[in-house]
C-alpha cells in the first residue's frame, strides 16, 4: 500500500507537471508554430494562440508517448526517478522557462527539462546514459544547420525567377503530404503502439508491404500537390496564406506531440506504482499545454514574429516546412527537442534568404546564450536542489 506521504509527494509532482505544461504551452509549443504565419499577417496573434492550444492538445494525446517515456526512463540509468526527484526537476525547469517567457526570450524547453532530469537522476546515484546523450546532442547541434539551411534554400527558390512558383509551392505541399502520410498516430495503431496512414492503407493494395506503403505515400503526396496547384492557379496569394496556415497547424500538432513529454515525462516512472494509465497523464499534460497557449502564448508569438525577422508568406512557408519535418523525426526517435530552437533557426534561415534583412543578430546571440545557459543552470540547480531536499527529508 502506498503511504500518505508518497501520495502527497506524487500530487505535488503532478501539480509541478501541470505548471511545466502551462509554461511550455505559453512558451515553445504555444508561440513557435504560428509565429511565421503571424509575421506574414496570415492570422492574428489571438487567433493563433487559440488554434495552437487545440492542436497542441490533440498532438499531445495522439503522439506524446515516445518522448514522454524517453524523458522519464532513458536519460539516467540504474535508478528510477522518485516523486521527490520528479518534483524538484519539474519545478526547476518550469521556473526557468517561466522566467524566459516573462523576460521575452524563448528558453529552449528541451534543454531545460533534459538538464533538470539528468541533474536529479545523477543526484539520486544514477549513471549517465551517454549513448542517449550523443543521440540527443546530435539532433540539437544539427537542427540549426538542417532547419536553417533548408529554410534558406527553400526561401531562395521561392524568391528566385528560375523556378515556376505555380508548381514549386504545390511540390512543397506534396512533400509535406508525403511526410504526413508516414506520421504515426496512436489511434491507428495497436493498443500499445501507433501506426501511420500509409502503413494502415498499404494492406489494401495487392503489393508487398514496402512497395504498397511507398505507393500510398506517393498517392497522398500527389493528391495534396494537385489540390494546392488548383488553388494556386485560382488565387496565388490566397493559396499561399492557406498553405501557410495548414503548415502552422501541422507544426502546432507536432509541438504538442513532442513538448508534452517534457512536462509529464518525469512522472512516467511513477505511473505503475500509482496505477495511472499513460493516456490519462498525456491528457492532463495536453490540457496544461492548451491553457498555457490560451493565456500566455500571445506575448511570445509577438516576440518571435516581430523581433527575429519580418516575414512574408514565402519565407514563412520556407520556415515551417523544415520545422514540421524535424519535429516529426524527433517524435519518431523519441528525442526531446526544443521547438524554439527549430523554429528560430528556420526563421533566421529564411530571413537570410532576403539578404539578412530584419534578422536581429543581437537577439540571435542572446537566444543561443539563453539556450546553453538554461541547460547548464537547470542541471546544476536540479542536482543541488535534490541533494538539499533529500537531506531535509532524512
Amino acid at each position: 500500500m502506498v503511504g500518505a506521504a508518497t501520495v502527497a509527494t506524487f500530487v505535488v509532482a503532478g501539480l509541478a507537471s501541470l505548471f511545466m505544461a502551462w509554461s511550455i504551452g505559453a512558451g515553445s509549443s504555444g508561440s513557435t508554430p504560428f509565429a511565421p504565419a503571424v509575421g506574414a499577417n496570415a492570422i492574428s496573434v489571438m487567433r493563433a494562440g487559440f488554434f495552437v492550444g487545440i492542436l497542441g492538445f490533440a498532438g499531445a494525446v495522439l503522439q506524446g508517448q515516445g518522448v514522454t517515456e524517453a524523458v522519464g526512463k532513458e536519460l539516467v540509468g540504474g535508478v528510477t526517478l522518485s516523486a521527490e526527484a520528479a518534483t524538484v526537476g519539474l519545478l526547476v525547469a518550469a521556473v526557468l522557462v517561466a522566467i524566459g517567457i516573462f523576460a521575452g526570450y524563448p528558453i529552449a524547453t528541451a534543454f531545460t527539462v533534459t538538464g533538470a532530469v539528468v541533474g536529479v537522476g545523477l543526484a539520486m546515484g544514477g549513471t549517465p546514459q551517454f549513448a542517449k546523450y550523443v543521440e540527443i546532442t546530435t539532433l540539437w547541434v544539427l537542427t540549426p544547420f538542417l532547419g536553417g539551411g533548408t529554410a534558406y534554400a527553400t526561401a531562395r527558390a521561392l524568391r528566385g525567377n528560375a523556378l515556376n512558383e505555380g508548381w514549386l509551392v504545390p511540390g512543397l505541399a506534396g512533400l509535406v503530404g508525403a511526410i504526413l502520410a508516414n506520421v504515426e498516430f496512436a489511434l491507428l495503431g495497436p493498443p500499445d503502439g501507433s501506426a501511420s496512414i500509409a502503413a494502415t492503407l498499404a494492406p489494401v493494395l495487392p503489393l508487398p508491404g514496402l512497395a504498397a506503403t511507398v505507393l500510398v505515400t506517393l498517392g497522398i503526396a500527389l493528391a495534396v500537390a494537385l489540390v494546392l496547384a488548383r488553388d494556386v492557379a485560382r488565387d496565388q496569394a490566397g493559396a499561399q496564406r492557406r498553405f501557410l496556415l495548414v503548415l502552422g497547424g501541422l507544426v502546432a500538432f507536432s509541438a504538442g506531440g513532442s513538448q508534452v513529454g517534457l512536462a509529464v515525462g518525469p512522472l512516467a516512472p511513477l505511473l505503475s506504482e500509482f496505477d495511472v494509465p499513460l493516456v490519462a497523464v498525456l491528457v492532463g499534460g495536453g490540457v496544461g499545454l492548451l491553457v498555457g497557449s490560451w493565456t500566455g502564448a500571445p506575448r511570445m508569438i509577438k516576440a518571435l514574429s516581430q523581433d527575429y525577422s519580418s516575414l512574408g508568406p514565402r519565407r514563412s512557408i520556407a520556415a515551417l516546412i523544415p520545422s514540421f519535418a524535424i519535429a516529426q523525426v524527433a517524435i519518431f526517435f523519441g528525442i526531446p527537442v526544443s521547438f524554439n530552437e527549430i523554429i528560430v533557426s528556420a526563421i533566421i534561415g529564411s530571413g537570410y534568404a532576403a539578404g539578412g534583412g530584419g534578422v536581429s543578430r543581437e537577439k540571435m546571440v542572446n537566444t543561443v546564450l539563453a539556450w546553453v545557459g538554461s541547460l547548464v543552470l537547470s542541471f546544476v540547480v536540479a542536482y543541488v536542489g535534490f541533494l538539499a531536499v533529500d537531506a531535509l527529508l532524512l
Side-chain angles (χ1 to χ4, degrees), residues 325-344:
I326 293 173
Q328 286 300 327
V329 168
I331 291 172
F332 181 80
F333 287 105
I335 299 175
V337 65
S338 169
F339 259 75
N340 281 326
E341 183 189 15
I342 292 173
I343 204 76
V344 169

Side-chain angles (χ1 to χ4, degrees), residues 141-155:
V141 172
L142 289 178
T143 289
F145 299 99
L146 293 177
T150 303
Y152 175 85
T154 304

Side-chain angles (χ1 to χ4, degrees), residues 27 33 42 53 55 73 92 94-95 109-110 134 159 176 188 198 218 239 271 285 288 293 298 301 329 347 359 375 393:
L55 293 168
K73 302 178 181 179
V92 168
V95 168
T109 311
V134 169
R159 283 174 55 85
V176 172
L188 299 179
L218 292 176
L271 300 184
S293 297
I301 292 175
V329 168
I347 288 175
V359 177
L375 175 64
L393 294 177

Side-chain angles (χ1 to χ4, degrees), residues 125-154:
T127 57
Q129 299 296 290
F130 290 110
K132 189 66 176 180
Y133 301 160
V134 169
E135 186 180 85
I136 293 172
T137 303
T138 299
L139 182 61
W140 288 357
V141 172
L142 289 178
T143 289
F145 299 99
L146 293 177
T150 303
Y152 175 85
T154 304

Side-chain angles (χ1 to χ4, degrees), residues 11-394:
V11 171
V12 173
L15 293 175
S17 178
L18 285 175
F19 178 43
M20 186 72 224
W22 177 88
S23 299
I24 294 172
S28 59
S29 76
S31 63
T32 54
F34 278 103
V38 173
N41 296 318
I43 189 173
S44 68
V45 171
M46 296 308 296
R47 285 188 177 181
F50 175 77
F51 285 112
V52 79
I54 295 175
L55 293 168
F57 172 81
V61 176
L62 296 177
Q63 285 197 305
Q65 180 176 353
V67 175
T68 296
E69 294 183 345
V71 171
K73 302 178 181 179
E74 299 178 15
L75 294 180
V76 180
V79 297
T80 299
L81 291 184
S82 64
E84 293 84 1
T87 302
V88 172
L90 285 166
L91 284 176
V92 168
V95 168
L96 290 177
V97 171
I99 290 174
I101 293 171
F102 293 111
Y105 283 100
I107 297 295
T109 311
F111 289 31
T112 308
V113 173
T114 301
V117 171
V118 173
V120 296
L122 296 184
M124 289 181 65
T127 57
Q129 299 296 290
F130 290 110
K132 189 66 176 180
Y133 301 160
V134 169
E135 186 180 85
I136 293 172
T137 303
T138 299
L139 182 61
W140 288 357
V141 172
L142 289 178
T143 289
F145 299 99
L146 293 177
T150 303
Y152 175 85
T154 304
R156 290 286 295 180
L158 288 171
R159 283 174 55 85
N161 297 321
L163 299 175
N164 187 339
E165 189 171 330
W167 64 262
L168 179 57
V169 173
L172 293 173
L175 175 61
V176 172
I179 297 173
L180 183 60
N182 290 278
V183 167
E184 295 189 344
F185 301 96
L187 291 178
L188 299 179
D192 58 345
S194 57
S196 67
I197 297 173
T200 302
L201 297 178
V204 178
L205 302 178
L207 294 171
L210 180 59
T213 300
V214 171
L215 185 59
V216 171
T217 299
L218 292 176
I220 293 175
L222 180 60
V224 172
L226 290 175
V227 169
L228 193 57
R230 182 178 179 182
D231 198 16
V232 169
R234 184 174 61 250
D235 178 11
Q236 181 171 303
Q240 288 181 352
R241 288 193 296 271
R242 286 185 283 273
F243 182 36
L244 179 57
L245 291 175
V246 170
L247 284 173
L250 291 174
V251 174
F253 179 86
S254 302
S258 172
Q259 302 295 279
V260 72
L262 302 176
V264 303
L267 299 179
L270 310 175
L271 300 184
S272 59
E273 181 179 358
F274 291 91
D275 196 25
V276 177
L278 179 59
V279 66
V281 176
L282 292 176
V283 170
V287 170
L289 294 179
L290 185 149
V291 174
S293 297
W294 284 357
T295 59
R299 174 185 173 87
M300 290 300 294
I301 292 175
K302 180 178 181 294
L304 282 174
S305 64
Q306 296 182 9
D307 290 350
Y308 285 91
S309 182
S310 301
L311 300 177
R314 293 180 179 86
R315 284 160 60 189
S316 298
I317 290 171
L320 287 180
I321 290 176
S323 300
F324 171 57
I326 293 173
Q328 286 300 327
V329 168
I331 291 172
F332 181 80
F333 287 105
I335 299 175
V337 65
S338 169
F339 259 75
N340 281 326
E341 183 189 15
I342 292 173
I343 204 76
V344 169
S345 300
I347 288 175
I348 291 172
S350 65
Y352 271 108
V359 177
S360 171
R361 297 194 179 191
E362 180 182 357
K363 188 76 170 182
M364 282 169 38
V365 172
N366 290 336
T367 298
V368 172
L369 291 176
W371 290 344
V372 177
S374 64
L375 175 64
V376 176
L377 184 62
S378 63
F379 172 82
V380 173
V381 174
Y383 185 93
V384 175
F386 177 78
L387 292 179
V389 171
D390 191 49
L392 290 174
L393 294 177
L394 290 179

